[in-house]
Amino acid sequence: VLRRCDAVLSAFLPHLDVGARAVAIGGPCSQVPLPSAQQALLLHQTLEELVSAGLAFNMELATAKGVGRQPPCFSPSGWWLDTEEFPMLLMNALVSAWHQRYSSELCVCACGCVPGVRPDADEALTVTMLLDEAKQPSSIAGQLFTNFAAPMPWPPA
């Protein structure tokens, strides 16, 4: 999935003006504190390193299931395993990498809304707020936002 997302951005790059805003839309990320080794994997800045982090997650998941644990849970070696949220964390890490790579060309950020009464409306409102030209690109670039364009800490502590 990470490679496909990267390919989509790469395909659009020639068609975007300098300073364009790219908002990646994903699911919410939990506030569960990640173990430092797992958190460190999310700070890598290359696509291949993030793909490796996903593979490591899958190995930890298989080990946990092998001893009878079901996610969300901690693996025997201490990883937080959540099959719905970890892919979103990887996607947000990819957005962070894009910000580092394209910061002179694009304003890249991510939207991960927490489901509520009207999840589609909340997500649409957040994206609209992030695309508002009145918001300075420097105030949103490289960040993760949740409902109503509220910034979330990245990386998760």
Side-chain angles (χ1 to χ4, degrees):
V1 171
L2 293 174
R3 285 188 178 106
R4 287 191 301 252
C5 290
D6 196 60
V8 168
L9 180 65
S10 295
F12 276 102
L13 281 175
H15 307 286
L16 299 174
D17 291 334
V18 171
R21 295 180 191 207
V23 179
I25 301 172
C29 295
S30 76
Q31 296 301 309
V32 174
L34 295 177
S36 59
Q38 189 177 8
Q39 185 180 27
L41 291 174
L42 297 173
L43 298 177
H44 292 300
Q45 296 299 317
T46 70
L47 176 63
E48 292 309 314
E49 289 171 323
L50 293 173
V51 168
S52 293
L55 294 173
F57 176 84
N58 287 336
M59 289 190 310
E60 290 288 326
L61 183 61
T63 300
K65 286 183 175 182
V67 296
R69 295 185 183 171
Q70 291 299 316
C73 65
F74 281 98
S75 73
S77 64
W79 276 48
W80 175 246
L81 302 174
D82 187 319
T83 55
E84 292 182 13
E85 292 183 2
F86 194 73
M88 292 303 117
L89 290 171
L90 282 176
M91 185 62 208
N92 291 328
L94 181 60
V95 168
S96 178
W98 287 340
H99 169 66
Q100 296 298 318
R101 191 178 333 148
Y102 301 116
S103 63
S104 64
E105 303 163 47
L106 295 175
C107 173
V108 181
C109 58
C111 169
C113 289
V114 176
V117 177
R118 304 171 336 152
D120 292 339
D122 289 345
E123 186 173 87
L125 178 62
T126 298
V127 170
T128 299
M129 292 170 78
L130 294 174
L131 294 176
D132 182 357
E133 290 182 15
K135 271 199 179 291
Q136 292 297 316
S138 61
S139 71
I140 63 171
Q143 295 187 57
L144 168 63
F145 294 89
T146 187
N147 302 50
F148 307 108
M152 286 182 65
W154 182 260

